[in-house]
Amino acid sequence: MTKIIGIDLGTTFSAIAVLNDLGKPEVLEDPIYNKKTIPSVVYLKEKNIQVGEKAKSMLDKDPNFTVSEIKQKIHEEVVWSTIEGNWKEKSTGAAKVSKGEFTPAQLSSFILKKVAALAGETKKVVVTVPALFENLAREKTAQAVKLAGLELIELIDEPVAAALHYASLEETKGISGKIMVFDLGGGTFDVSIIDMNTTNIKDIKVITSQGDRHVGGTDFDREICKLLNKKYKEITSVNLYENDQFSKYLNLAEQIKRVLSHETKAN
């Protein structure tokens, strides 16, 4: 039987899981960096496109060729321009993009291909998507899977994936009823109410989902950058950056955010 992999294509990080020999889901680790998540960042300058930690390190060094938070653009008709170093509207009716331009689906396919490679030759994949994803975003995600050379078995809403995991745990067998799934990701935040019956793992129904596309971890990072700039200017009368060009400080802001997850102060 062909192995099926599960991929969480995230705004800031992506991950892949397989069923181990005991039938339990196991998140695979990047053997180079010994991490179970891969940054959803793409570096486009080299002939061999880079994805992950190396690409992330280029965000402040070569921003025109480095793209992050691609998932937030998957539902838009835009392209990333390596000339302008920014997103711009795709030419109406154009079948192909110009040289140096990449659609969100193309960029997402690079991430999917990188993540899927951790599982070897397996091609069949299930991909999770936010509950708030509309049809166009789902279609573009499916397109990205195809461009990555993978066979899409199904797109599953992230809260449903969480409920499926919950239903598979030994300590929750036999529990039924309505549960709330609180999904705070890198780029989106949503809350879903799910009706589930753990005696029948397929009997799971999303009653409703509500959320915001612009309340995620990266938004927290930006607010920390703004606070850093404000404090720096109060002391030196000089801006750290102008016009929200704070990409070189985003990694620092993320580190501060992680510290503040368990401490009350961070330097």
Side-chain angles (χ1 to χ4, degrees), residues 13-85:
F13 292 95
S14 295
I16 179 173
V18 298
L19 293 180
N20 61 23
D21 293 338
L22 299 175
K24 298 294 183 181
E26 179 180 336
V27 179
L28 300 183
E29 192 174 85
D30 184 334
I32 297 176
Y33 295 97
N34 297 320
K35 293 181 178 179
K36 292 187 175 183
T37 55
I38 293 176
S40 300
V41 184
V42 181
Y43 182 55
L44 299 161
K45 196 169 188 177
E46 298 183 1
K47 288 184 179 179
N48 295 321
I49 291 170
Q50 299 293 321
V51 174
E53 295 289 347
K54 183 175 180 180
K56 188 177 180 180
S57 70
M58 301 303 292
L59 275 169
D60 61 317
K61 298 173 185 175
D62 204 354
N64 278 31
F65 290 88
T66 314
V67 198
S68 61
E69 300 174 51
I70 298 158
K71 186 175 176 177
Q72 288 192 323
K73 297 292 184 179
I74 195 75
H75 66 293
E76 298 181 29
E77 292 294 343
V78 294
V79 291
W80 176 268
S81 169
T82 58
I83 297 173
E84 299 178 22

Side-chain angles (χ1 to χ4, degrees), residues 121-139:
E121 297 300 319
T122 301
K123 298 296 183 183
K124 295 180 181 291
V125 61
V126 171
V127 177
T128 61
V129 293
L132 299 178
F133 259 23
E134 66 278 5
N135 287 337
L136 180 59
R138 293 171 189 270
E139 289 171 7

Side-chain angles (χ1 to χ4, degrees), residues 24-25 162-175 198 201:
K24 298 294 183 181
L164 284 168
H165 173 69
Y166 179 77
S168 71
L169 299 176
E170 192 67 33
E171 58 268 29
T172 57
K173 281 184 178 178
I175 296 177
T198 55
I201 201 167

Side-chain angles (χ1 to χ4, degrees), residues 71-72 75 132-134 137 187-189 211-216 219:
K71 186 175 176 177
Q72 288 192 323
H75 66 293
L132 299 178
F133 259 23
E134 66 278 5
T188 58
F189 163 61
D212 194 317
R213 283 184 177 275
H214 303 289
V215 183
D219 299 292

